[in-house]
Amino acid sequence: MVSYQVVENVSRVLIEGDMTIYTASEIKTPLWEAVQAAPVVEVDLSQVAELDSAGLQLLVLIKKHLPDGSKVTFVNHSQVVIDVIELMQLAAYFNDPLVLSGRSTLN
């Protein structure tokens, strides 16, 4: 489920539940509407319970195809989101404040 609220040109988006191949088509349209609702978008991922490659593709899609002049930040990553971002080594791509788990190592 995707909900959002626009306050002073900032769209605050909350994604709740799974972001998987089974839910990606349901999430895509309301998520894209929320992203286009304001020039600054903050997507709260704290309530994402499961994330697979289809859900990850939605996050990449948003980041890559933002309307001109818009900015998106993903915040409050749930542990499952952190695990997938670490696994796919995409932390630098998203470039968001991200608290990495203690399992991470520097090489």
Side-chain angles (χ1 to χ4, degrees):
M1 178 177 147
V2 176
S3 58
Y4 71 98
Q5 180 178 22
V6 177
V7 177
E8 297 180 9
N9 289 328
V10 178
S11 179
R12 297 192 196 292
V13 183
L14 176 64
I15 301 174
E16 297 176 277
D18 297 342
M19 293 185 71
T20 66
I21 192 167
Y22 302 110
T23 61
S25 64
E26 302 169 18
I27 294 171
K28 184 179 178 183
T29 299
L31 184 57
W32 190 245
E33 288 172 3
V35 166
Q36 293 181 316
V40 177
V41 181
E42 185 177 281
V43 181
D44 186 334
L45 300 172
S46 65
Q47 300 303 309
V48 174
E50 187 173 348
L51 178 69
D52 68 6
S53 61
L56 187 60
Q57 286 177 17
L58 288 177
L59 299 180
V60 170
L61 175 79
I62 291 168
K63 191 90 171 178
K64 191 171 184 177
H65 296 287
L66 277 174
D68 289 340
S70 297
K71 178 183 178 189
V72 65
T73 304
F74 298 104
V75 299
N76 300 327
H77 305 70
S78 69
Q79 188 60 51
V80 296
V81 173
I82 291 171
D83 290 346
V84 171
I85 289 175
E86 284 182 346
L87 178 67
M88 303 306 289
Q89 300 180 356
L90 288 171
Y93 174 77
F94 286 110
N95 195 29
D96 294 311
L98 179 69
V99 177
L100 299 177
S101 72
R103 294 175 292 180
S104 298
T105 59
L106 297 174
N107 292 327

